[in-house]
Amino acid sequence: MTRKLILFIILVVSILSANSQVANVISGKVINGFTKDPIPFSTVRWKIQKSGTTCDSLGIFQIAKSSFPSDSLILDYVGFDSRKYGLKELNSLNLVLTLETLSLKQEAIVKTKFNKGLRWWKAVVNNKPINNPYVYTKYGCELYNKLELDLNNVSRNSFANIGFLKPFSFILDNIDSVSEAKSFLPVFLSESLSDFYFSNNPNDTREIIKASQTHGIKNETVMQFVNGVNQKLNIYDNYMKIFGKEFISPISEFGDKFYNFKGADTQYIKGVKVLHLLFSPLRDGENTFNGDAWIDASTWAIHKINLNISATADINFVNRLSINQEFVKMNNGRLIFSKDRITADLSPLPKNKLTFIVRKSISYQNFTFDADSVTKALILNKKKNEVVLNEDVYKTDLGYWVDKRHETLNKNEQIVFKMIDTLKSIPLFQQYSRNLEFLIDGRRKFGNIEIGPWYKWVSGNQLENIRLRFDIGTTPAFSKNLRLSAYLAYGTRDRQFKERLGIQYRFPNLKGFSTEFSYLKDLENGRVRFDEEDMSIDNIFSQLFRRPNIPQKFLGLQEFKGSVLKEWESGLSNSLTFSRVDYDPYTPLPDKYSFINGKNLELSNTDIMYRIRYAPGEKKILTNRRAIRFKGDKPIYELRVSQGLDGLAGGKFNYTKLHTAISQRVRIPDFGVITYNAYAGKVYGDSLPFMLLELHPGNEVYMYNKNGFNLMNRFEYYSDTYAGFQIEHNIEKKLINLIPILRKTKIRQFWTLKGVWGMMNSSNRTFNHIELGPYQLRTLREQFYLEYGTGFDNIFRFFRIDFVWRQAPPNPNGHLSSRMQPVQNFGVFGSLRLQF
């Protein structure tokens, strides 16, 4: 009995002692408040008691409770604001405490240069050729991708006080938030599983998406923003391309010219000795990062690196950006990719307003270095860097994803999947989505049909005065392959109706094949050559920015057109187009009686055109109406051959046209981006009216046109033989950063140069009465027309201003400029640009 009593007393004492120890211990995890990732080896210390500890590699800590009731627990880590928690706030176990990255004026500064950190950096750079995972000749692996898009900074007060948000207040009961004051609204979440194959020489990749599921909105403009984080990064490269902007890696070969380095401490992770390297920007205004890296002490390979974008980096709409890359050691001692995480806070509005949080994560598993299996996969590529989808790719079975995911979904992500589907089922949310789409896209859908765009409903010009227009078309609900469209327009001055009917069809069983037929009876609307990108005068804003004292010119068109297009995945496309057009020039352009002895010439033309285009690396998003193209960094080639068919379908002219062009957007390391376009052509034929010759594109509004000559009037210069070029060099902030006061601004600088040389044979000169009559059509007379300029871009993130000068061939002897063609040798132009 006595023995049992003693054992009982010992047990009670042990339990009380254990409870006492637990009560006197505070444990938890320290995470990044922005990315929600743990912060390993951060410092946790008491302010008064002066005791402390360090988190482990997972950010987890345990510390004895302070004996001072008024004490505060302080969290510290390089690159983050210190955070203080009062003892009264820390009464529970398993706390989740957050740290926020440093603000603009508080970025970490490391003043010492010749220190162990710099020596560590040099060792990492010297060993890059060995440690860079992309030096493997060939490899394959399984990828798990996850992408989430949330509407952020939605405060609880907003849900309570703003009427249109009140119906969605239930979200706050389900979604965690960084603080009690703010939550977020999930709008998009997707995940995919794929097999990935890589070859270093020749450089090629193939990704086979085996499974995918997507929940949420799909808007092309929003997805263009998201696309900037949907890319693979390699911190071993000297430069990293993010949202189309060039950032300098801290372990680039010239990183010491852009970064401060400091060696912090040494740790052991899973028995491996690692060195903790800190880095911060050397100067403001450059595309750099602050952050830290963990380096293998034996191989100088990167185990883990955390990058936070510099607050003064030259990038738009990105309030914050965090990149984390982790690597895992293989059996041969080499390190290979393990995890990538990119978190971006995007907003077209000022900070502290509604923003989008984009979270992108990639997990790599099941690596294979068998060259034969990788080669067999890559040999199936029809183009470089091909992404293909399995037929049964879209999987929504919950059990499948639970089994196949590389990592389980956290609490918020599990709720987000359900929340998005719930939101999409709410009629009011559907209405808000439609209204936002109408504002951005301009069109309103009603089941099988849509109307708009709204910005073409009312416009104006000198011929029609007020122009009214109504568009209607079918939607994918009607057919995913067939689209019907039409518009009807009316001018209040000329009292004439104009119309267009169109049919587009994509052949479902013939990949890449499509056809289009249209009928048009309207005024030529300003698109003169680059029909995909040129500005149109048929919109509500066109008359607001017209240059003064320049009469508007119009061609009446009645056109029947049909075309067939074939596009290959390699970027090659070709098309065949047949057209029949009647032209009717309006004053002040020469009319039908101005050509041969005052006779009424029927300006009817039948034409067949073959076009071939090769755009390697170009990506596109197919919508119901058109293809949105994202050009790569490789040259784009184009050739067009046209033949006029005299006598066919009433055509009156016989000619052959050739046009060829090459264009490219190429980044110069550390010195901006150059965009160029070079073209040449010839029209073989005699006695052709001016509308069938090469019309050099002019511009008569103060909105800058990148594809035209902005100080040249429309219908001013013609040629039947020509060659031209366009060059723009966006220097970004390279020169502006030389002025200290401008380093923290987002303004960018550029210069432009455009030119064209042309001539015209005597037959076409005589037929068109070149440089005779009140209008005076002109030829370049085997001379150059030049425009050169400079300006500033990214003013208030949206605006661009161009200062342009003109150098034109002199007038022939005895000829003065016509009042119809006033000359302006200098001009200032503006434009709006949505760019990162």
Side-chain angles (χ1 to χ4, degrees), residues 533-545:
E533 298 182 6
D534 250 20
M535 293 187 300
S536 166
I537 62 174
D538 186 14
N539 64 74
I540 195 172
F541 308 107
S542 62
Q543 296 302 304
L544 299 177
F545 305 105

Side-chain angles (χ1 to χ4, degrees), residues 376-587:
K376 288 179 181 178
L378 291 175
I379 204 171
L380 299 175
N381 274 9
K382 297 178 181 178
K383 63 177 181 178
K384 283 191 174 183
N385 307 319
E386 186 172 9
V387 178
V388 297
L389 281 72
N390 284 348
E391 292 184 0
D392 58 343
V393 66
Y394 299 107
K395 300 182 185 296
T396 58
D397 179 64
L398 180 61
Y400 175 89
W401 288 104
V402 170
D403 181 55
K404 297 296 184 180
R405 286 189 187 106
H406 290 189
E407 55 187 21
T408 59
L409 298 179
N410 61 36
K411 177 184 175 183
N412 274 357
E413 290 168 340
Q414 293 175 23
I415 296 174
V416 163
F417 272 113
K418 298 177 182 178
M419 192 64 58
I420 292 176
D421 292 336
T422 301
L423 284 171
K424 289 176 66 176
S425 67
I426 299 176
L428 188 59
F429 182 81
Q430 296 172 2
Q431 179 182 335
Y432 288 169
S433 299
R434 288 194 298 267
N435 291 342
L436 181 62
E437 184 177 10
F438 178 59
L439 180 63
I440 297 175
D441 183 55
R443 294 169 172 84
R444 169 76 79 179
K445 292 181 174 64
F446 299 93
N448 291 336
I449 65 170
E450 64 181 6
I451 62 172
W454 58 263
Y455 49 81
K456 291 191 175 185
W457 285 348
V458 181
S459 61
N461 57 65
Q462 296 172 4
L463 179 66
E464 296 176 292
N465 193 20
I466 298 175
R467 175 182 168 96
L468 306 176
R469 172 171 161 171
F470 180 77
D471 294 68
I472 189 170
T474 59
T475 67
F478 171 78
S479 172
K480 293 182 178 180
N481 300 311
L482 175 65
R483 183 171 191 268
L484 309 177
S485 61
Y487 74 71
L488 183 67
Y490 180 77
T492 60
R493 177 175 292 163
D494 66 350
R495 299 183 180 180
Q496 296 291 320
F497 282 99
K498 296 89 178 175
E499 64 266 0
R500 183 186 185 278
L501 302 173
I503 301 173
Q504 296 172 285
Y505 185 72
R506 294 172 183 157
F507 294 91
N509 298 322
L510 297 173
K511 189 173 183 179
F513 268 104
S514 62
T515 186
E516 182 175 358
F517 299 93
S518 64
Y519 167 74
L520 172 71
K521 184 180 180 183
D522 202 348
L523 302 175
E524 183 273 330
N525 65 6
R527 301 188 178 206
V528 290
R529 182 195 294 134
F530 303 94
D531 57 352
E532 292 181 354
E533 298 182 6
D534 250 20
M535 293 187 300
S536 166
I537 62 174
D538 186 14
N539 64 74
I540 195 172
F541 308 107
S542 62
Q543 296 302 304
L544 299 177
F545 305 105
R546 281 197 60 79
R547 291 159 55 198
N549 305 318
I550 302 177
Q552 270 184 284
K553 301 96 176 176
F554 296 96
L555 277 175
L557 303 176
Q558 185 171 10
E559 177 189 64
F560 298 87
K561 184 165 68 173
S563 65
V564 178
L565 171 67
K566 167 60 177 173
E567 295 182 287
W568 284 268
E569 294 181 357
S570 63
L572 180 67
S573 65
N574 57 17
S575 63
L576 190 66
T577 303
F578 175 87
S579 64
R580 167 64 170 80
V581 188
D582 290 320
Y583 297 96
D584 186 11
Y586 288 84
T587 304

